[in-house]
Amino acid sequence: MDNIKIDATERSPEIDFDFAANRFRVKGESYPEDVTAFYGELIEALDEHLRGLKGATVGFEFELVYFNSSTAKVLMGLFDSLDEVAGQGNDVRITWVVEEDDDNMEEMGEEFAEDLENATFELKKIES
Amino acid sequence: MLAEEMYRLRGYLQDQGIMFCYSGYMTEGVLTGIGQAIKRKLELEDADKKTSKAIFSIFVEQMQNVIRYSAEREPLSGENELRYGVLTMGQKGDHYFVSCSNLVERKDVARLNDSLTHIKGLDPDGLKALYKRTLKGDTPQGSKGAGVGFIDIARRAVHGFDFDFTEVDDEHSYFCLRAYL
C-alpha cells in the first residue's frame, strides 16, 4: 500500500502512515469540520493493511495537542483495532506523546489504554 | 442614538462579565475564526494552560452542537443550511464561563433535559464511565456527531454547568447551557 502523508492544518492533524515499515503517526490538533470525511478513508486503508499482518512489529504514535469529542470516538475505535491486531500475533506498540504539563491529554491517553489487552502502551512526555 | 443603543448593549455585556459574544449563524468557518480569537485572548489573559484548553474545548463542543442541532435554520431542509445560535464567553468572579444558546424543538426538550440532568448528577468517575461507554457504543439516533459532546463539556467544566429551557411557541423552546471553569 502506498504511504499516506497529509500535512497538518489548523483543525486537522499531520498524518504519516508508512505501511511498509508499519510505522504510523498522527500529530497535531484534531477538530475537523467533518470527522468522517477526514478519517474515514484513512481508517479504512489502515484496517485493511492491519488485517493482513502476521508476526509484524507495528508502531503507532499519537502526538495530539487537542482533539474534540467526535475525534475521541475515532481514536477509541483505532485503539480497539490496534489491540485486535496485537491479539493476532503482532507486536503492537502504541506511544502517546504529551507535553509534560498536559495532565488532561495524559489522562485521555491512559483512559484509551485501559482496555488494551494485547497491545503495549507507552506514555512519552516531552517539554512544552 | 445609534451609538447610544450599541453602547448600552456593550455596557450590558460588560456588566455580565462577557468578553466575547457572537450572535448569528454559526458555521465551521466562524468556529475556526472565533476559536483563533479566543485562543489569542486567553494567551493575553495569562489564563493557565489547562483552563485555556478546557475553555477552548467547551467552546468547540458548544459551537458544533449549534451547527449540527439548532432548530433555527435556513433553509429548513437540505444541504448548506445555516444554524443560528448565541455564544458568550466571559469571566465572573474567579470563574470563566462559556455559554451557548439556541432554539430547539419542543419534542426534543424532554430527551435533552433527561440526558443533561443525568450527566449533571454524575461524579468524575461516573462521567468517565459514561464517556467511554458512549465512545464505544453506537451513535445515538438523530446524532451527527459522536453524541459525547455534553459529557465532554461536563468533564472539562471544573466548576460545573447549568442549563435550562424556556418555551417560545407551540413548536419551539429556547435552550441554554453554561459551563463554568
Side-chain angles (χ1 to χ4, degrees):
Chain A
M1 198 168 305
D2 286 340
N3 294 343
I4 301 177
K5 255 187 122 95
I6 302 172
D7 288 336
T9 70
E10 185 158 9
R11 296 183 52 176
S12 61
E14 173 194 327
I15 301 290
D16 190 354
F17 284 3
D18 185 339
F19 293 98
N22 282 317
R23 297 192 67 83
F24 306 93
R25 194 155 70 118
V26 179
K27 180 183 177 180
E29 305 215 24
S30 180
Y31 54 116
E33 182 169 339
D34 184 338
V35 171
T36 313
F38 184 78
Y39 286 105
E41 284 181 23
L42 287 170
I43 301 288
E44 221 170 274
L46 185 70
D47 278 344
E48 196 191 317
H49 173 79
L50 293 175
R51 267 199 302 274
L53 295 179
K54 196 93 207 172
T57 300
V58 179
F60 209 115
E61 189 174 281
F62 296 91
E63 188 176 339
L64 292 162
V65 182
Y66 164 67
F67 55 84
N68 68 348
S69 64
S70 314
T71 299
K73 198 172 164 89
V74 172
L75 296 177
M76 190 83 247
L78 204 48
F79 268 64
D80 280 348
S81 304
L82 290 168
D83 199 44
E84 210 178 298
V85 174
Q88 289 158 3
N90 298 288
D91 179 12
V92 180
R93 298 166 190 185
I94 301 173
T95 311
W96 188 263
V97 185
V98 293
E99 291 183 353
E100 58 192 354
D101 57 352
D102 196 342
D103 301 347
N104 182 264
M105 208 40 95
E106 181 178 334
E107 213 174 288
M108 290 286 200
E110 279 163 355
E111 281 178 23
F112 286 131
E114 271 171 8
D115 305 324
L116 294 174
E117 285 174 2
N118 307 298
T120 58
F121 177 83
E122 187 203 349
L123 184 75
K124 193 170 140 190
K125 293 191 181 185
I126 53 168
E127 268 182 51
S128 58
Chain B
M1 264 317 271
L2 290 175
E4 191 189 320
E5 210 172 280
M6 291 317 280
Y7 189 70
R8 268 208 304 275
L9 175 62
R10 177 178 173 274
Y12 171 76
L13 295 173
Q14 280 186 345
D15 287 347
Q16 302 293 312
I18 293 169
M19 296 171 184
F20 187 91
C21 174
Y22 178 84
S23 170
Y25 289 103
M26 294 192 176
T27 64
E28 293 287 344
V30 170
L31 190 162
T32 311
I34 298 180
Q36 276 176 339
I38 288 180
K39 271 187 184 169
R40 208 165 305 155
K41 171 70 180 158
L42 292 168
E43 278 168 23
L44 292 174
E45 282 271 310
D46 257 348
D48 74 87
K49 202 162 140 190
K50 197 175 170 182
T51 307
S52 299
K53 283 185 87 168
I55 290 173
F56 183 75
S57 308
I58 292 174
F59 153 77
V60 170
E61 300 300 331
Q62 296 255 53
M63 283 283 282
Q64 289 193 322
N65 273 342
V66 172
I67 294 168
R68 290 168 182 157
Y69 305 114
S70 171
E72 189 169 353
R73 59 190 181 194
E74 244 182 279
L76 283 172
S77 60
E79 303 258 308
N80 298 321
E81 58 190 12
L82 288 167
R83 306 242 186 179
Y84 195 94
V86 180
L87 178 115
T88 58
M89 192 203 109
Q91 199 173 13
K92 211 154 201 192
D94 294 336
H95 301 332
Y96 284 97
F97 63 84
V98 183
S99 172
C100 200
S101 58
N102 58 273
L103 217 55
V104 294
E105 291 188 31
R106 279 180 68 171
K107 65 176 171 55
D108 294 328
V109 170
R111 183 181 49 83
L112 260 174
N113 186 55
D114 287 354
S115 151
L116 286 167
T117 305
H118 176 62
I119 291 171
K120 204 172 146 88
L122 294 172
D123 62 10
D125 285 344
L127 280 173
K128 177 186 154 187
L130 181 63
Y131 181 76
K132 283 192 77 173
R133 227 171 28 240
T134 313
L135 285 187
K136 282 172 174 280
D138 292 325
T139 310
Q141 241 182 355
S143 171
K144 289 176 218 165
V148 288
F150 286 135
I151 311 168
D152 194 58
I153 291 172
R155 294 191 73 189
R156 294 180 193 267
V158 289
H159 296 291
F161 70 91
D162 285 325
F163 69 95
D164 61 12
F165 303 87
T166 183
E167 287 178 13
V168 174
D169 58 34
D170 287 349
E171 286 171 29
H172 298 99
S173 285
Y174 201 66
F175 163 63
C176 182
L177 186 149
R178 176 172 288 211
Y180 303 95
L181 301 102

